[in-house]
Amino acid sequence: MPVFSTDVLSKFAADLLAAGGLSPEEVSAVSRSLVDANLRGYDSHGLMRIPQYLTQVEKGEITSHAKFEVLNDAPALLTVDAHWGFGQVQAGRLVERLIEKAKSSGVAVGTMIHCAHIGRLGEYVETAAAAETVALLMVNNHGGVMRVAPPGGKAPRLSTNPIALGIPNSDEPIIMDFCTCVSAEGKVRVMKIAGEKCPDGWLLDSNGQPTNDPEGLYTTPPGTILPMGGKQTYKGFGLSLMVEILSGALSGGVCARAVPVNQIGNCVFMLVLDPTYFGGVEHFREEVASLTEFIRSCPTIDGVDRITLPGDPERDILKHKQSEGVSLDEGNWQQLVALAEKLGVALP
């Protein structure tokens, strides 16, 4: 596997995106987001997305220089049409506006439709947590493709429907970022391109039978990714259903349906809260710090060195990759090599 420093990888990503026709603002936002995802162990939302994004640009499914059109702007409310602009740019604008509103009124709710893939959700709730606000973020894929079957079913009915929450806590914010199914579709795609098998309990083939072959997700008819919690419980699928409704229906966007009406993108729902307006920011800081210290003090079982909280694994991976470099598997690296050759971009 090739291994790159952060600076080298960032320049390569920026060069590819610039050669693909993105504006300087788009190059900066998208390359930073993708490299940050690789640095935190989210390779499914990292540089492997560049060929996909540029293909979507060529097809007219992503619009460069897209307008950020505010449809409804109230003290604690913002609804936006992203006009299929780059998700990292448009979602970045959304979270900045919502933080400002929450600082003014205590609470801000925002939705966004017609947005391209916004990338790693944790990025945006980390931004909110850094501003000492609490954030909840969720997206569907604008009804563009389905990957998850309901318990007892063998045909997909919902997308992977991720959700993220961010809680400020000094320099160790609590960050939850996960799909409401067993795995992000991007992770399956990474393994498919790399020629690897998926772990047990991830996939069902088109007949509803367990499979480790990532190709099984992309057959006709398609296979499915299991809901979080497995196929025998409605916990994961039920949560995914709520994400679908809040992101798609409430926003004025599109929910899953038999025949998609638009390209793949994200409908977005985000809630931002400022603790100052509730129990007070000092009380909030003290309680969160006390709670996390209490949890970390839990005695550990044999073989466990420490108690980890949401956000710890990403920080650990970040520290390691910043010093040791970022590795890319051969399959995904070769896709980037082919794209660089096509665009006339020098390889690092």
Side-chain angles (χ1 to χ4, degrees), residues 72-157:
N72 189 5
D73 191 351
L77 175 69
L78 187 69
T79 63
V80 176
D81 188 330
H83 289 279
W84 297 109
F86 278 94
Q88 288 86 349
V89 174
Q90 304 291 50
R93 292 169 175 168
L94 179 69
V95 68
E96 288 175 2
R97 292 283 297 274
L98 292 178
I99 291 170
E100 290 175 4
K101 286 180 176 291
K103 292 289 186 179
S104 296
S105 60
V107 58
V109 180
T111 63
M112 186 161 61
I113 60 174
H114 302 142
C115 187
H117 181 248
I118 72 171
R120 183 178 69 93
L121 268 61
E123 168 185 340
Y124 308 101
V125 297
E126 286 168 359
T127 298
E132 290 203 285
T133 58
V134 175
L136 167 66
L137 173 63
M138 59 187 77
V139 302
N140 76 349
N141 70 10
H142 229 300
V145 68
M146 294 166 285
R147 297 297 185 195
V148 182
K154 63 179 183 180
R157 287 296 182 266

Side-chain angles (χ1 to χ4, degrees), residues 68-341:
F68 183 82
E69 183 183 3
V70 175
L71 304 176
N72 189 5
D73 191 351
L77 175 69
L78 187 69
T79 63
V80 176
D81 188 330
H83 289 279
W84 297 109
F86 278 94
Q88 288 86 349
V89 174
Q90 304 291 50
R93 292 169 175 168
L94 179 69
V95 68
E96 288 175 2
R97 292 283 297 274
L98 292 178
I99 291 170
E100 290 175 4
K101 286 180 176 291
K103 292 289 186 179
S104 296
S105 60
V107 58
V109 180
T111 63
M112 186 161 61
I113 60 174
H114 302 142
C115 187
H117 181 248
I118 72 171
R120 183 178 69 93
L121 268 61
E123 168 185 340
Y124 308 101
V125 297
E126 286 168 359
T127 298
E132 290 203 285
T133 58
V134 175
L136 167 66
L137 173 63
M138 59 187 77
V139 302
N140 76 349
N141 70 10
H142 229 300
V145 68
M146 294 166 285
R147 297 297 185 195
V148 182
K154 63 179 183 180
R157 287 296 182 266
L158 294 178
S159 68
T160 57
N161 290 3
I163 185 170
L165 298 96
I167 306 291
N169 182 37
S170 186
D171 60 348
E172 294 187 337
I174 302 170
I175 305 294
M176 288 284 292
D177 179 6
F178 56 87
C179 288
T180 50
C181 55
V182 171
S183 167
E185 184 272 335
K187 290 184 178 181
V188 179
R189 191 185 310 177
V190 166
M191 292 182 173
K192 173 179 176 291
I193 295 170
E196 300 173 356
K197 295 296 183 181
C198 291
D200 292 342
W202 276 29
L203 303 178
L204 300 179
D205 64 21
S206 59
N207 294 314
Q209 298 303 308
T211 180
N212 300 102
D213 185 359
E215 294 282 0
L217 185 62
Y218 305 101
T219 56
T220 304
T224 62
I225 305 174
L226 282 165
M228 183 174 63
K231 62 182 179 179
Q232 303 301 327
T233 173
Y234 265 97
K235 292 180 179 179
F237 190 83
L239 181 57
S240 181
L241 179 62
M242 300 305 141
V243 171
E244 187 76 27
I245 292 168
L246 289 174
S247 301
L250 185 67
S251 68
V254 180
C255 291
R257 58 194 63 211
V259 180
V261 296
N262 50 241
Q263 64 266 46
I264 298 173
N266 287 142
C267 295
V268 180
F269 173 92
M270 188 168 194
L271 169 69
V272 180
L273 305 169
D274 185 345
T276 305
Y277 291 81
F278 296 88
V281 67
E282 289 301 327
H283 175 80
F284 183 85
R285 289 173 184 160
E286 291 171 3
E287 284 299 309
V288 172
S290 175
L291 176 62
T292 55
E293 182 180 352
F294 175 60
I295 293 173
R296 290 191 190 281
S297 71
C298 181
T300 59
I301 61 176
D302 291 343
V304 175
D305 295 329
R306 62 165 184 161
I307 299 296
T308 60
L309 291 174
D312 288 344
E314 290 84 353
R315 283 187 285 269
D316 292 344
I317 293 170
L318 174 63
K319 184 182 297 184
H320 173 77
K321 291 194 174 187
Q322 283 178 327
S323 66
E324 301 298 326
V326 178
S327 63
L328 300 175
D329 68 80
E330 190 62 27
N332 283 281
W333 169 241
Q334 288 304 322
Q335 286 210 342
L336 293 171
V337 168
L339 180 63
E341 292 173 349

